[in-house]
């Protein structure tokens, strides 16, 4: 049977001292470490979010810059193609005029020779 004497009071005091000592020596440091770890993880998650938003912004800027460069490049290509086409037409016209200038006397000469040949009695 349990006797209710002074040893019960000592055991209660011993138990309360043990809880206090464990709290001071073991539980509080562990809780502090867990709190610090949670704060560190929260900070790292915020850094990740900031980096992700920076990456998204830079990716959007890169994509829009690339799109603008393509549009600009296509515009320059079209302008160069139009210039080349115009220059080609001018060169072809020049060659055609030169050809006509060179061939006209020969054609007249051929017509003259043909008419003289036809007028000769056989």
């Amino acid at each position: 049977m349990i006797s209710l004497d002074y040893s019960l009071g000592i055991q209660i005091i011993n138990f309360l001292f043990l809880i206090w000592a464990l709290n001071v020596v073991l539980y509080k440091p562990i809780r502090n470490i867990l709190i610090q770890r949670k704060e560190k993880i929260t900070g790292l998650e915020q850094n990740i979010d900031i980096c992700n938003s920076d990456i998204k912004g830079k990716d959007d800027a890169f994509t829009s810059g690339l799109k603008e460069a393509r549009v600009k490049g296509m515009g320059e290509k079209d302008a160069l193609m139009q210039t080349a086409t115009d220059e080609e037409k001018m060169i072809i016209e020049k060659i055609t005029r030169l050809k006509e200038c060179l061939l006209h006397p020969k054609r007249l000469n051929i017509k003259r020779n043909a008419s003289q040949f036809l007028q000769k009695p056989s």
Side-chain angles (χ1 to χ4, degrees), residues 1-82:
M1 191 139 177
I2 298 177
S3 62
L4 297 174
D5 57 356
Y6 71 96
S7 68
L8 181 64
I10 293 175
Q11 286 181 0
I12 291 174
I13 293 172
N14 191 19
F15 178 73
L16 292 176
F17 175 75
L18 183 62
I19 289 178
W20 176 80
L22 285 175
N23 191 26
V24 170
V25 174
L26 187 62
Y27 299 141
K28 274 190 180 179
I30 290 176
R31 281 189 296 208
N32 288 338
I33 290 171
L34 291 176
I35 290 171
Q36 289 172 356
R37 184 181 295 167
K38 186 175 182 178
E39 289 172 354
K40 184 176 181 180
I41 290 173
T42 304
L44 291 174
E45 287 174 346
Q46 289 173 351
N47 287 341
I48 289 171
D49 291 339
I50 291 170
C51 289
N52 283 339
S53 64
D54 286 349
I55 288 171
K56 186 178 182 328
K58 288 179 182 180
D59 188 43
D60 291 344
F62 176 75
T63 304
S64 66
L66 188 61
K67 189 181 261 185
E68 289 173 12
R70 283 184 179 156
V71 168
K72 183 180 176 185
M74 289 300 287
E76 288 178 8
K77 175 189 160 203
D78 292 341
L80 289 173
M81 288 295 288
Q82 185 62 40

Side-chain angles (χ1 to χ4, degrees), residues 2 6 13 59 87 91 99 106 118:
I2 298 177
Y6 71 96
I13 293 172
D59 188 43
E87 192 173 324
I91 291 172
K99 175 190 75 150
K106 294 187 189 231
L118 290 175

Side-chain angles (χ1 to χ4, degrees), residues 83-114:
T83 303
T85 303
D86 293 343
E87 192 173 324
E88 179 185 20
K89 286 179 185 176
M90 287 176 26
I91 291 172
I92 290 173
E93 286 177 18
K94 224 186 249 185
I95 291 173
T96 304
R97 279 186 265 136
L98 181 62
K99 175 190 75 150
E100 289 299 323
C101 288
L102 292 174
L103 288 180
H104 185 67
K106 294 187 189 231
R107 283 184 184 156
L108 288 176
N109 191 14
I110 290 173
K111 282 183 184 178
R112 223 180 295 124
N113 288 340

